[in-house]
Amino acid sequence: MFEANGIRSGYSGIEVIKDLDLSVDGEILTVLGANGAGKTTLLATLARVLPLMDGELHLNGEDVTTLPPWEMASRGIGYVPQEHAVFPDLTVMHNLHVGAMIGDRSRQERLDEVIGVFPDLAERREQLAGTLSGGESRMLAAGRALMQDPTVLLLDEPTAGLSPLYVELFFEKIVEIHDTRGVSIILAEQNATKALEVADRVMVLSLGEGSEAIDTEHVTMEQLREGYRI
Ligand SMILES: Nc1ncnc2c1ncn2[C@@H]1O[C@H](COP(=O)(O)OP(=O)(O)OP(=O)(O)O)[C@@H](O)[C@H]1O
Ligand SMILES: [Mg+2]
């Protein structure tokens, strides 16, 4: 179980995320919100890449509020940022090896699994990550995070800018990763339709304020509209 209580964060003393609570325990939680709502700020805060101004983070009962980002990663928090998610000057294979620096299982075993999820990466193993297409690069970023054997995966708009075919494929992969590995997933998305299809619960983020997480089966258009302030 990964929990955030009363978290606040932002930039240069200006609060973006305002007193937000959330928790995941094996499910897919999607965080929906318009441009600038604070999705990236929230995920960076959860990964401890951005400092907390207030609030607490707990992972399986342990207080991880002050851990540095690499410690978060080694305890099972996998983070796929919206931008700069791969090392452009390293090959695909070397990017995946970086993910394997965390954890105990054999690298080859993990590589085989990740390639099983994203077979396209095998064909491009020697290619520099900076020369991959947008979709391939998103797969590599997710693959690198999976190499860490995460128990919680933070995905920041993994399908942004992808063609419909890749979007479809990527959402299938998210479900596959969740179902086969039992990973909790926090998925920041603008693509509400697809995100609601795969997620168990939804939180709408608006001007840094998060709604209560609602079961996706029960969410109404009104609740989404209210969140998006449209
Ligand atoms: N490095 C920064 N310095 C100052 N303000 C920032 C910084 N990064 C983001 N912000 C501001 O914080 C707010 C939330 O931005 P954030 O990137 O978290 O939104 P988002 O929901 O991820 O948007 P998008 O859907 O466009 O990715 C915005 O008003 C943005 O201008
Ligand atoms: Mg963002």
Side-chain angles (χ1 to χ4, degrees):
M1 158 106 84
F2 184 45
E3 252 184 306
N5 294 109
I7 57 167
R8 298 175 187 272
S9 69
Y11 310 92
S12 315
I14 298 168
E15 204 172 274
V16 173
I17 297 300
K18 297 164 185 140
D19 191 17
L20 186 142
D21 299 324
L22 66 74
S23 69
V24 276
D25 191 9
E27 74 270 47
I28 303 180
L29 169 71
T30 186
V31 178
L32 301 179
N35 289 124
K39 302 181 296 296
T40 294
T41 308
L42 172 61
L43 263 54
T45 308
L46 296 176
R48 293 276 306 125
V49 169
L50 195 65
L52 281 155
M53 292 172 171
D54 200 5
E56 289 180 0
L57 298 174
H58 284 90
L59 181 61
N60 301 325
E62 186 195 358
D63 189 339
V64 293
T65 313
T66 57
L67 287 188
W70 56 90
E71 286 280 348
M72 292 297 269
S74 73
R75 290 195 201 204
I77 308 288
Y79 175 42
V80 180
Q82 186 169 8
E83 284 172 346
H84 312 298
V86 297
F87 298 100
D89 300 330
L90 298 183
T91 63
V92 165
M93 207 39 74
H94 285 146
N95 266 274
L96 294 173
H97 288 176
V98 171
M101 289 164 82
I102 286 168
D104 309 319
R105 271 196 319 137
S106 104
R107 184 163 86 185
Q108 193 55 47
E109 197 181 332
R110 290 194 253 175
L111 259 180
D112 292 345
E113 284 174 15
V114 168
I115 296 296
V117 180
F118 297 114
D120 290 9
L121 295 179
E123 293 161 30
R124 310 205 164 268
R125 57 203 308 139
E126 298 309 326
Q127 193 171 329
L128 290 181
T131 65
L132 294 174
S133 76
E136 290 162 353
S137 178
R138 299 308 284 159
M139 287 185 197
L140 177 57
R144 182 188 48 73
L146 280 183
M147 288 293 288
Q148 294 170 209
D149 273 345
T151 54
V152 179
L153 197 51
L154 309 172
L155 298 173
D156 194 349
E157 296 204 46
T159 65
L162 302 191
S163 61
L165 199 67
Y166 265 130
V167 171
E168 204 58 46
L169 179 76
F170 214 103
F171 276 102
E172 277 173 26
K173 296 298 180 190
I174 290 171
V175 173
E176 183 182 330
I177 290 163
H178 174 260
D179 292 353
T180 57
R181 296 175 166 238
V183 182
S184 302
I185 297 180
I186 301 181
L187 169 69
E189 263 299 338
Q190 297 231 24
N191 188 339
T193 313
K194 289 304 298 179
L196 289 170
E197 266 175 46
V198 302
D200 301 298
R201 288 188 301 138
V202 53
M203 164 183 279
V204 182
L205 194 62
S206 177
L207 302 174
E209 290 181 31
S211 71
E212 205 174 314
I214 314 164
D215 287 352
T216 43
E217 298 163 32
H218 300 133
V219 72
T220 64
M221 271 315 286
E222 276 62 44
Q223 284 165 317
L224 291 177
R225 272 206 202 101
E226 205 177 298
Y228 275 100
R229 306 253 160 115
I230 50 175

